[in-house]
Amino acid sequence: MRKYKLLFIVVLSFFLAQSTLYAQKTVSGVVTDAKDGSTLVGVTVLVKNTTTGTTTDLNGHYTLTVPDDAILVFSFVGYAPQEILVGTQTTINVQLEFSAAMIDEVVVIGYGQVRKEDLTGSVQMVTTDDFNQGAITTPQELLVGKSAGMVISSDGGAPGSSSTIRIRGGSSLNASNDPLIIIDGVPLDNNNVSGSSNFLSFLNPNDIESISVLKDASATAIYGSRASNGVIIVKTKEGKVGGPMKVSFDVKTSIANAVKFLDVYSGDEIRRIAWEKRDLFGLDNLGLLWDANTNWQKELFHTSFSQDYNFTVAGAWEAVPYRVSIGYTNQEGIMKNTSMERLTGGINLNPSFFKSQLKVNFSIKGMLTDHNFGDSGALGNAINMDPTKPIYDDSFTTSNGYFQWENYGANLGSSNPVAQLMDVNNTSTVKRVIGNIQLNYKIPYVDGLQANLNMASDYTESSGVNNRPTSAPSNLTTPYWGRINNYFSIHRNNLLDFYLNYNTDLAEINSVIDLTGGYSWQHFEREGGSTTSGYFDDEHPEQEEGTSSYITESYLVSYFGRLNYTFAKKYLLTLTARFDGSSHFIGDNKWGFFPSAAFAWKIKEESFLKDVGFLSELKLRLGWGITGQQDVNNDYPAQAAYMVSSTGSYYYIDGEYLPTLRPSTYDPDIKWEETTTYNIGLDFGFFDGRITGSFDVYKRVTDDLLNTVTIPTGSNFSNTLLTNVGSLENKGLEFALNVIPISQKDFSLEVGFNLAYNENKITRLLLNDDPDYIGVLYGDAMTGQKQVTRVGHPAYSFFVNKQVYNSEGIPIEGLYVDLSGDGGVVNGDNDDKYIYHDPVADVLMGLSFKLNYKNFDMSASSRISLGNYVYNQVAAGSSYDQMYQIGYFKNFPKHLDATQFVKRQFTSDYFVRNASFFKLDYVSFGYTPKTKGKFKMRFSFTVQNVFSITDYEGIDPEVPGGIDNNFYPRPRTFMLGIGVTY
């Protein structure tokens, strides 16, 4: 009996020990934001070193059964993770601290998102904290200088002006080089409507939360036929459940002025030159010079005033997160009679149903914009207009009192630039609405399987006028005397995306599989037209009228899939494929296949590096993929189309004039351009993320390049045809570095730097190699062909004559090197020209910093461009023989002092100038005073376009396309901002 008692005690002791060892308890609590106390939805709560866990609900609450000795790990995107030992606690409330270093943990990619540490492609995300500051009216301006390999150049300083975006160089010659831009899951049509200067102006920059830049094919191939130029994904801000409703109101007021003017001759200087050159101008013509000293450039510009207001309400109504925003911008241009007035609105709703099984994202954005474009052509006339003439003269009754040369009707004299600018009515109104609804449903009974549906519609309409009075010079209204021009445009873009996503953790083989597969349908419609009327001339006042119209559409149907496979949490493989069908092409060329593969190795996770304390990240990335380009600026390039002949080409048949149909050139075999990309990247981090960065090397080869070739005459077509005959290559490297040298509660400093090098080269332009083929020439009959695209050289290289200089380094007029060696006269013929540099910079760098000290903050951003060249056409058009024409005098920049050219020398390489520059884009100062309660304020002062350092003699070294021909100058802006949040 005693031995049975002993056995009982032993067994009981064993079970008691086991029950103590495996004692479980239920722990619950609420997770909130440490800063404002709002509850956080979707926070991951895990038992450390296990897969046991849960997430917080719509009220930030969680419940979890855990062992007593468990350590709970709380993690949420944008917040520093926190670990807590359970012990005897049954209620654990947690406050998570916001962490700028953690905000980019999850990166938005095509059809989903991924943790930054699990990226296999070359992707960079820029968030609110990193955006450029200042009088920002369009989303592109937020990113200037922020991403290695991405070049953003504004097309001028006009209000709301567009920007040219290039990612890793251009991949095409005659198709679009613009990246695909996706906003809240909706791929946009990059074609702008008439009357709009920027197709992204509908999106208020204050509504943007983050922008992801996808660069290599392994990241972009999921978008297939439109991804050769990179992809930019924009995510707008949303509301969140928990905490109080937030109301924000921001006011920004700015003044702006022109940074510099082109140095031209004054009236006194023109009179002196005219006397010194009287033998050239004719002594009798000196009487045409009057006694004024008018600075025509300054007469066009003024100090402009602009305002920007933004009102936002965000929070949650019951369990429905919402964000509502209204923005108003009134931007006055530094050039008189130019402005942009814009009203924007946006609503984001993000409810969840069936215990978060179904998540809904509803977004709608609207815009109403009034543009006043003025007449930028007045800039050129302001440089050339005779400074000895006054702005007004009462004797000129036919021109509303403005001075005008009497022979302007012969297209000889320069128009009065003030009259040209102020008398024009060049205005438009643009309306745009873009909305979409995204449904994400976690399919029951299949853990990890989700269905996603995205339906969107984008509608834009515009109308405008470009009118001039009958008092305007006829060279501005040709062929009419006076002009009334009305136009309209309508664009529609409808989208349906559906895809399934399956994610599972295969613990038995230490693997994670993430599968995505889906279907996409997109339909584009465009229509528009214009009507122009006026009087044929003042002697025959019959009203003439010309009309034109168009209507066109295209479809894109796609099937896509992606596999993300992770093994042992350190080896990552991504495979993507997309089949695209485009209505641009016919037959076997209608469908394209675009695959990609990428591999990443988290070297830091290997045993030989895991315990290296100073190293926080080390990851190697390898990528390959094929992407396409089907945006050929023509919806029917492979189909026969007929155009109605113009009025003067009608046939007289049976006593009646009848129009004829003229066939347009087309190529039934035209197809996609295809770009193959190879990428090697290395991501690194040191000292717990205080130093992070990446290094990428890439090569991009575009085949089936669209080029214009000559076709035989007699075919009823024009003598050129756009077809797939060429190839080009881009290769380069990128380096990005982010350093946080100081990180304290009241004092922090963060510095960002990026560098990019890209080399562009044409490798083929014809079906058959022809060593005598000169290439594709660009230019005009008056100023000469100054650019060329030729095999073995960058696209759009400068094509000029080699100037000969005297012993003092002064160019000898009309004397060039005989590069052909034929001993003949060198007079600008192409045989004696050579390729001399190109407009694209060899090296680009961006440098920025953010400084916070107690309630004060400061930030700045700058750029360096090395090796970009500009052809100064303004200077090239300057010569003494052009100063006097029949009946009028003309002004020029003072470049003429250096050359002393009597005749214009448009093809001289003297005018191709190194335009490398350093630009301090903005400096911003902020102050956030201490306030009581829930009321907060922030004051800011920002200077934009602070200064430029360059040897280039023009107004601005950053010239779109590399041809400096009087574009609207970028202003320097001083902005004061006040933000209030409750």
Side-chain angles (χ1 to χ4, degrees):
M1 187 71 178
R2 291 182 62 186
K3 68 177 181 179
Y4 289 110
K5 289 183 179 179
L6 181 61
L7 178 62
F8 175 77
I9 293 171
V10 170
V11 172
L12 181 61
S13 300
F14 174 79
F15 278 104
L16 287 174
Q18 292 299 307
S19 63
T20 302
L21 181 65
Y22 293 98
Q24 302 280 312
K25 67 169 59 177
T26 300
V27 178
S28 62
V30 177
V31 183
T32 58
D33 185 313
K35 187 174 182 179
D36 60 17
S38 61
T39 55
L40 298 177
V41 182
V43 175
T44 299
V45 186
L46 279 176
V47 178
K48 190 174 183 179
N49 298 323
T50 74
T51 58
T52 302
T54 186
T55 58
T56 57
D57 61 17
L58 295 176
N59 298 312
H61 185 270
Y62 75 93
T63 301
L64 190 63
T65 301
V66 300
D68 288 342
D69 60 348
I71 296 176
L72 296 185
V73 181
F74 297 81
S75 61
F76 193 57
V77 176
Y79 291 80
Q82 198 172 137
E83 296 184 2
I84 296 178
L85 175 64
V86 174
T88 59
Q89 302 177 86
T90 57
T91 300
I92 302 177
N93 296 323
V94 178
Q95 292 183 328
L96 292 184
E97 296 277 355
F98 175 82
S99 172
M102 304 295 293
I103 190 64
D104 59 351
E105 271 196 345
V106 174
V107 179
V108 179
I109 59 172
Y111 304 102
Q113 58 186 27
V114 65
R115 289 172 60 89
K116 182 179 179 181
E117 64 180 28
D118 293 334
L119 282 171
T120 57
S122 181
V123 180
Q124 182 174 359
M125 189 168 79
V126 184
T127 61
T128 305
D129 285 347
D130 300 314
F131 288 155
N132 287 326
Q133 304 296 312
I136 305 293
T137 59
T138 58
Q140 298 101 314
E141 297 174 80
L142 298 171
L143 294 177
V144 175
K146 294 297 183 181
S147 178
M150 181 170 66
V151 181
I152 303 177
S153 300
S154 65
D155 295 336
S161 62
S162 62
S163 297
T164 300
I165 305 176
R166 294 293 178 264
I167 298 176
R168 292 185 170 181
S171 63
S172 183
L173 288 179
N174 291 287
S176 173
N177 279 304
D178 298 326
L180 174 65
I181 297 177
I182 300 166
I183 297 179
D184 288 338
V186 183
L188 301 183
D189 180 1
N190 286 354
N191 293 289
N192 210 2
V193 296
S194 302
S196 174
S197 58
N198 190 325
F199 78 100
L200 281 179
S201 60
F202 77 95
L203 184 58
N204 190 329
N206 294 278
D207 291 337
I208 298 176
E209 178 180 287
S210 67
I211 301 177
S212 296
V213 182
L214 285 58
K215 302 176 186 178
D216 69 342
S218 65
T220 63
I222 194 71
Y223 290 107
S225 64
R226 295 176 289 178
S228 282
N229 298 303
V231 178
I232 296 176
I233 301 178
V234 180
K235 185 180 185 302
T236 59
K237 298 174 183 177
E238 300 174 351
K240 61 180 180 180
V241 173
M245 176 183 69
K246 289 185 179 180
V247 180
S248 301
F249 183 61
D250 295 304
V251 180
K252 297 175 183 176
T253 302
S254 62
I255 61 172
N257 50 43
V259 177
K260 62 181 290 188
F261 297 106
L262 205 60
D263 192 13
V264 298
Y265 295 111
S266 66
D268 291 336
E269 289 169 324
I270 286 289
R271 285 184 283 267
R272 174 184 56 78
I273 293 172
W275 175 253
E276 293 174 352
K277 304 288 183 181
R278 57 188 179 277
D279 292 339
L280 177 64
F281 301 148
L283 187 62
D284 295 340
N285 293 321
L286 299 188
L288 294 171
L289 296 172
W290 292 9
D291 58 358
N293 269 295
T294 303
N295 188 321
W296 291 102
Q297 291 181 88
K298 290 186 178 181
E299 295 298 333
L300 298 186
F301 292 89
H302 65 163
T303 298
S304 66
F305 296 86
S306 301
Q307 301 89 37
D308 187 67
Y309 304 92
N310 290 281
F311 178 76
T312 303
V313 179
W317 180 69
E318 297 296 336
V320 180
Y322 64 85
R323 186 178 187 274
V324 180
S325 65
I326 299 175
Y328 172 75
T329 301
N330 189 342
Q331 187 178 18
E332 188 179 39
I334 58 172
M335 191 167 76
K336 298 174 182 177
N337 201 25
T338 62
S339 62
M340 181 194 77
E341 189 174 11
R342 180 183 66 186
L343 180 66
T344 61
I347 300 174
N348 278 11
L349 302 176
N350 313 104
S352 297
F353 304 95
F354 313 123
K355 297 182 179 180
S356 296
Q357 287 288 112
L358 175 63
K359 295 182 179 180
V360 179
N361 292 323
F362 171 78
S363 173
I364 187 168
K365 307 169 186 67
M367 175 201 73
L368 174 63
T369 305
D370 290 326
H371 291 278
N372 184 6
F373 299 106
D375 187 343
S376 59
L379 293 170
N381 277 330
I383 292 170
N384 294 136
M385 183 63 184
D386 182 359
T388 72
K389 299 299 185 292
I391 302 171
Y392 304 99
D393 191 303
D394 294 338
S395 63
F396 287 80
T397 57
T398 60
S399 59
N400 288 337
Y402 288 106
F403 170 85
Q404 293 286 5
W405 287 105
E406 293 182 0
N407 60 344
Y408 63 72
N411 292 327
L412 295 175
S414 298
S415 301
N416 184 319
V418 177
Q420 180 178 350
L421 177 63
M422 302 307 294
D423 277 355
V424 68
N425 179 17
N426 185 9
T427 58
S428 72
T429 297
V430 181
K431 304 172 185 177
R432 187 169 186 175
V433 176
I434 177 171
N436 71 309
I437 183 169
Q438 296 175 288
L439 307 177
N440 178 276
Y441 182 58
K442 293 181 180 179
I443 297 177
Y445 310 116
V446 183
D447 189 31
L449 181 61
Q450 302 178 60
N452 295 269
L453 176 66
N454 182 21
M455 296 177 290
S457 185
D458 181 5
Y459 177 84
T460 309
E461 69 173 47
S462 67
S463 61
V465 299
N466 189 359
N467 302 335
R468 287 193 179 277
T470 55
S471 60
S474 61
N475 62 346
L476 300 178
T477 60
T478 303
Y480 302 109
W481 179 49
R483 182 186 68 218
I484 296 177
N485 170 239
N486 299 282
Y487 59 85
F488 78 96
S489 183
I490 297 174
H491 285 193
R492 301 179 183 91
N493 169 15
N494 294 313
L495 170 78
L496 185 147
D497 281 340
F498 177 79
Y499 64 93
L500 295 172
N501 175 258
Y502 177 67
N503 186 291
T504 184
D505 188 345
L506 304 176
E508 62 274 12
I509 59 173
N510 200 14
S511 300
V512 176
I513 293 178
D514 189 317
L515 277 170
T516 299
Y519 167 83
S520 179
W521 173 92
Q522 198 160 11
H523 180 210
F524 303 95
E525 296 177 276
R526 308 176 189 94
E527 63 178 295
S530 66
T531 301
T532 306
S533 60
Y535 297 103
F536 189 70
D537 58 42
D538 55 354
E539 296 179 358
H540 302 85
E542 296 85 3
Q543 192 175 51
E544 298 284 328
E545 184 170 295
T547 61
S548 65
S549 63
Y550 67 89
I551 183 169
T552 182
E553 66 175 343
S554 64
Y555 289 87
L556 191 65
V557 178
S558 310
Y559 301 91
F560 57 87
R562 177 175 57 216
L563 165 65
N564 287 326
Y565 174 70
T566 303
F567 177 71
K569 297 184 180 180
K570 54 187 175 183
Y571 306 110
L572 303 99
L573 176 68
T574 300
L575 301 175
T576 66
R578 183 169 178 127
F579 289 90
D580 273 334
S582 172
S583 63
H584 287 162
F585 313 111
I586 60 177
D588 294 337
N589 295 325
K590 181 172 290 186
W591 286 90
F593 175 58
F594 306 97
S596 77
F599 170 76
W601 175 25
K602 294 182 179 180
I603 309 174
K604 164 63 178 173
E605 298 302 316
E606 297 290 351
S607 58
F608 57 86
L609 287 178
K610 197 164 187 177
D611 295 328
V612 178
F614 69 87
L615 184 66
S616 52
E617 181 185 14
L618 187 63
K619 182 174 67 176
L620 176 68
R621 293 178 282 105
L622 304 175
W624 165 89
I626 298 175
T627 51
Q629 175 57 279
Q630 56 96 41
D631 188 358
V632 295
N633 303 315
N634 179 0
D635 282 338
Y636 313 105
Q639 302 179 47
Y642 292 84
M643 307 293 292
V644 178
S645 59
S646 59
T647 305
S649 301
Y650 283 12
Y651 273 82
Y652 187 73
I653 301 175
D654 295 334
E656 185 179 2
Y657 285 98
L658 299 176
T660 59
L661 295 178
R662 173 177 57 83
S664 298
T665 306
Y666 73 98
D667 178 9
D669 296 321
I670 196 171
K671 59 182 179 180
W672 321 86
E673 292 181 337
E674 287 192 350
T675 300
T676 303
T677 302
Y678 307 87
N679 193 95
I680 300 175
L682 186 70
D683 299 330
F684 57 86
F686 302 96
F687 309 113
D688 293 327
R690 296 283 288 270
I691 299 176
T692 57
S694 63
F695 181 78
D696 284 79
V697 178
Y698 63 86
K699 180 179 180 180
R700 305 170 65 224
V701 178
T702 300
D703 294 312
D704 294 323
L705 187 71
L706 290 168
N707 186 30
T708 302
V709 298
T710 303
I711 59 176
T713 58
S715 62
N716 286 333
F717 295 138
S718 62
N719 61 350
T720 59
L721 175 69
L722 183 66
T723 188
N724 303 89
V725 295
S727 60
L728 63 79
E729 176 183 289
N730 283 284
K731 57 184 179 181
L733 58 86
E734 297 167 354
F735 175 71
L737 183 68
N738 194 76
V739 181
I740 307 176
I742 303 173
S743 180
Q744 299 176 3
K745 182 179 180 181
D746 291 330
F747 188 24
S748 64
L749 173 64
E750 184 174 352
V751 180
F753 173 78
N754 63 76
L755 178 147
Y757 165 82
N758 185 78
E759 180 182 311
N760 172 276
K761 183 173 68 174
I762 304 295
T763 54
R764 191 174 184 180
L765 284 175
L766 297 175
L767 289 172
N768 300 306
D769 293 334
D770 181 359
D772 297 325
Y773 179 51
I774 195 170
V776 183
L777 297 170
Y778 310 94
D780 54 65
M782 177 177 291
T783 64
Q785 293 172 318
K786 305 173 291 295
Q787 286 181 287
V788 67
T789 295
R790 178 185 290 180
V791 173
H793 299 274
Y796 306 104
S797 295
F798 295 113
F799 191 50
V800 287
N801 290 114
K802 193 169 186 177
Q803 181 70 55
V804 177
Y805 297 83
N806 63 19
S807 59
E808 298 178 354
I810 299 175
I812 301 174
E813 182 172 350
L815 187 59
Y816 305 110
V817 176
D818 180 13
L819 296 177
S820 66
D822 59 8
V825 177
V826 182
N827 56 6
D829 291 340
N830 290 331
D831 290 342
D832 288 307
K833 290 181 181 177
Y834 77 115
I835 290 178
Y836 182 61
H837 299 297
D838 66 278
V840 181
D842 299 321
V843 177
L844 293 166
M845 289 178 275
L847 178 64
S848 60
F849 77 87
K850 296 183 296 182
L851 174 69
N852 290 274
Y853 178 70
K854 293 186 177 181
N855 297 336
F856 297 90
D857 61 85
M858 178 183 177
S859 60
S861 181
S862 61
R863 287 176 295 141
I864 295 176
S865 177
L866 301 176
N868 57 299
Y869 281 75
V870 169
Y871 174 82
N872 193 333
Q873 186 160 302
V874 180
S878 304
S879 63
Y880 287 122
D881 71 329
Q882 293 295 311
M883 271 194 172
Y884 173 74
Q885 296 293 300
I886 301 173
Y888 76 98
F889 274 86
K890 195 174 183 180
N891 199 0
F892 287 115
K894 290 185 179 179
H895 300 104
L896 192 52
D897 287 341
T899 63
Q900 296 289 308
F901 286 166
V902 175
K903 295 184 177 298
R904 293 177 292 185
Q905 305 296 319
F906 283 115
T907 63
S908 172
D909 64 4
Y910 174 82
F911 298 109
V912 178
R913 316 297 286 186
N914 189 329
S916 300
F917 63 82
F918 169 81
K919 282 194 172 187
L920 182 56
D921 289 319
Y922 79 87
V923 175
S924 183
F925 304 89
Y927 174 64
T928 305
K930 292 183 179 180
T931 55
K932 294 183 178 180
K934 299 178 181 180
F935 181 78
K936 297 180 181 179
M937 296 186 67
R938 184 177 185 273
F939 301 91
S940 64
F941 175 72
T942 304
V943 183
Q944 198 171 351
N945 193 15
V946 185
F947 65 80
S948 300
I949 299 175
T950 181
D951 288 335
Y952 182 64
E953 304 92 339
I955 293 179
D956 196 316
E958 193 175 5
V959 178
I963 304 294
D964 189 351
N965 194 23
N966 302 315
F967 73 102
Y968 196 124
R970 301 177 180 93
R972 178 175 292 129
T973 304
F974 301 87
M975 186 190 75
L976 179 65
I978 302 175
V980 179
T981 301
Y982 179 77

